[in-house]
Amino acid sequence: MLGVIINTKAGKKAYLRQRYYLFDLLREKGTEYTYHVTQYAGHAAELAQVFVEQGYDRLLVLGGDGTLSEVIDGVMHVIASAKNNSSRHPLVSVGLMPRGTGNDWGRYWHLTKDHKKSLDRFFSGTAQPVDVGCLTVRRAGKEEKHYFINSVGFGIDAKTCERAQVMKYYVGSHGINYFFGLLSALFTHKSVPVKISTKYQVPSTKYEGTEGDVRVESWEQPLFTMNIGNGPFSGGGIKQNPDADPTDGIFHSMFVTTPSFKDVMRAIPKLFNGRLPEVDFIRNFRATEVEIETQEHIVIEKDGILVDACGPYKVEILPKAIGFVC
C-alpha cells in the first residue's frame, strides 16, 4: 500500500491537473493507495505518523520542502518511539513530487516541478538511505524534538524565510521570494551573542565500518547567520553549503558573525554558484552534532518552517534514517 499526502496550497494553480494525472497513473499500474489532503500547518506530520503506524512503508508527498519536512518529522517520531520501546521498525521510503516555493531538497536530486518526470522517477527509482537531522529545543520547560531533511538555519536564515512567507501571500509561490526576503533582512537584522559547540565523528580510513576520532570545537561570537546543512541548497537555490551530501552522515555548515556592508556585497554574487565558502569572513565547519547556547531569543527555520522555542538548542545527524526514492 502506498500512502499519498497532498498539500493543495503548494503550487495550487496546477493542482487538479497533477492530481488527476497521478490517480490515472496509479490505476494504470494497479497500485493500491490511500491519499489525504493537508488541512492546516502540521497536518502532514500527523498524516505521516498515522500512515506509518498503520504499516505503510512507502509514502509519496505532493508538496514543497515544508510539506516534505513535516512528513519526515511524523515518520521519525514513530521510528524514535519504536526504538525507545525496543521494538524494530522497517525502513520507511519517501518520494517527492515538488510543488512548493523553494524546492531545495528536490533540486539536489534533480527533481523539478515537471510532475510527469518526478512521478516517473518515483515509480521507477529505488529507495536510497539518507540522513535526517534532529533539532532539540525547549518549550514551556519541556524538551521537544523536530526532525528535518534538508537544513536548519539561525539568524538571517530564519528572517529570510519569514520574509519570503509574507511575500508569498502577495505575489504567489516563487523561488525568487527568498532572494528578495534575504535582501530585506540583511539590512535590518542584528547579530546575537552565542556559544557554539560542535562534535565531529571523523570517518575511519583504516577499517570499513569502524568509527574514527571525535573532534570537538567551540567558540563564542555574535551570530549573524548560521546554516547547518544536510543538503547543499536552501532559500530557493542558494548554495550555502555546496559540499553537503545527505548520505555521508555529516553536517556541512556555515557560520557568520557580524559582517560589514562590504562583506555582504562581496558575498551576494556567490550565493548561487557554489563559491560562497571562498568568502573569508564565513566560517565553514563539519559536524555530527552542534549545540547553540544564548541568552537571547532566536527564531529558527528548519526546511523553511519557523520554530519559535527556547534554547539551548541541539542539532544532531541521524545517518541513513529513512529511504528517499529517486
Side-chain angles (χ1 to χ4, degrees):
M1 287 284 288
L2 170 68
V4 181
I5 297 174
I6 305 172
N7 180 358
T8 60
K9 293 182 179 179
K12 56 187 175 183
K13 290 184 179 179
Y15 165 63
L16 289 179
R17 174 164 48 88
Q18 293 171 350
R19 173 176 169 174
Y20 291 144
Y21 179 84
L22 170 62
F23 291 169
D24 287 344
L25 189 62
L26 289 169
R27 281 192 290 269
E28 288 178 12
K29 294 180 176 294
T31 302
E32 292 187 48
Y33 69 95
T34 301
Y35 83 93
H36 290 292
V37 175
T38 61
Q39 303 295 328
Y40 47 83
H43 194 199
E46 297 172 9
L47 293 173
Q49 189 166 338
V50 171
F51 270 135
V52 177
E53 288 174 343
Q54 291 177 344
Y56 289 74
D57 62 357
R58 200 162 58 120
L59 304 179
L60 174 62
V61 180
L62 278 66
D65 292 327
T67 310
L68 176 64
S69 185
E70 287 189 11
V71 169
I72 297 301
D73 192 61
V75 170
M76 291 304 302
H77 272 98
V78 177
I79 293 175
S81 177
K83 287 183 178 179
N84 290 337
N85 295 326
S86 300
S87 57
R88 300 187 65 181
H89 201 285
L91 182 71
V92 178
S93 299
V94 179
L96 174 67
M97 194 189 87
R99 285 175 39 81
T101 304
N103 190 31
D104 288 310
W105 178 256
R107 184 176 281 104
Y108 175 80
W109 301 98
H110 305 292
L111 293 172
T112 69
K113 291 186 180 181
D114 184 326
H115 60 283
K116 294 181 180 181
K117 290 183 179 180
S118 294
L119 290 174
D120 181 63
R121 290 276 298 276
F122 176 74
F123 288 108
S124 63
T126 57
Q128 178 169 340
V130 297
D131 308 328
V132 171
C134 178
L135 166 68
T136 303
V137 300
R138 297 190 69 81
R139 194 188 306 275
K142 295 183 179 180
E143 190 175 88
E144 285 186 359
K145 291 188 181 296
H146 299 263
Y147 298 93
F148 63 93
I149 188 70
N150 187 58
S151 70
V152 62
F154 301 78
I156 280 292
D157 254 40
K159 288 288 185 181
T160 298
C161 177
E162 191 174 47
R163 302 287 173 86
Q165 288 184 7
V166 172
M167 291 179 63
K168 180 171 65 175
Y169 290 103
Y170 294 98
V171 299
S173 297
H174 305 286
I176 198 68
N177 289 1
Y178 286 100
F179 181 69
F180 287 115
L182 171 62
L183 291 180
S184 66
L186 276 173
F187 303 104
T188 58
H189 179 68
K190 294 182 179 180
S191 299
V192 174
V194 298
K195 178 181 179 181
I196 306 293
S197 301
T198 70
K199 184 184 295 185
Y200 177 29
Q201 181 76 54
V202 182
S204 174
T205 57
K206 293 183 178 180
Y207 304 103
E208 185 177 352
T210 62
E211 295 182 341
D213 297 334
V214 176
R215 296 178 183 172
V216 177
E217 187 178 9
S218 66
W219 65 89
E220 293 187 50
Q221 282 182 310
L223 182 152
F224 185 72
T225 192
M226 179 169 66
N227 182 272
I228 301 172
N230 189 34
F233 297 100
S234 61
I238 296 173
K239 270 190 166 182
Q240 294 196 83
N241 299 294
D243 294 328
D245 178 349
T247 66
D248 64 1
I250 302 167
F251 287 130
H252 295 249
S253 310
M254 55 88 74
F255 176 95
V256 177
T257 187
T258 309
S260 67
F261 178 80
K262 184 178 179 180
D263 289 335
V264 171
M265 291 299 101
R266 284 195 294 125
I268 287 178
K270 302 179 185 295
L271 290 176
F272 296 94
N273 62 12
R275 298 178 61 188
L276 204 56
E278 297 176 5
V279 181
D280 54 13
F281 69 87
I282 295 177
R283 181 173 192 153
N284 298 284
F285 64 95
R286 296 183 179 186
T288 48
E289 184 178 305
V290 183
E291 292 189 12
I292 303 99
E293 299 177 49
T294 178
Q295 300 298 318
E296 304 286 338
H297 175 263
I298 295 181
V299 177
I300 311 162
E301 66 88 10
K302 58 121 187 168
D303 297 338
I305 299 173
L306 297 176
V307 179
D308 194 354
C310 298
Y313 312 99
K314 185 176 182 180
V315 186
E316 304 168 88
I317 199 159
L318 308 176
K320 295 178 172 52
I322 64 158
F324 185 71
V325 184
C326 58

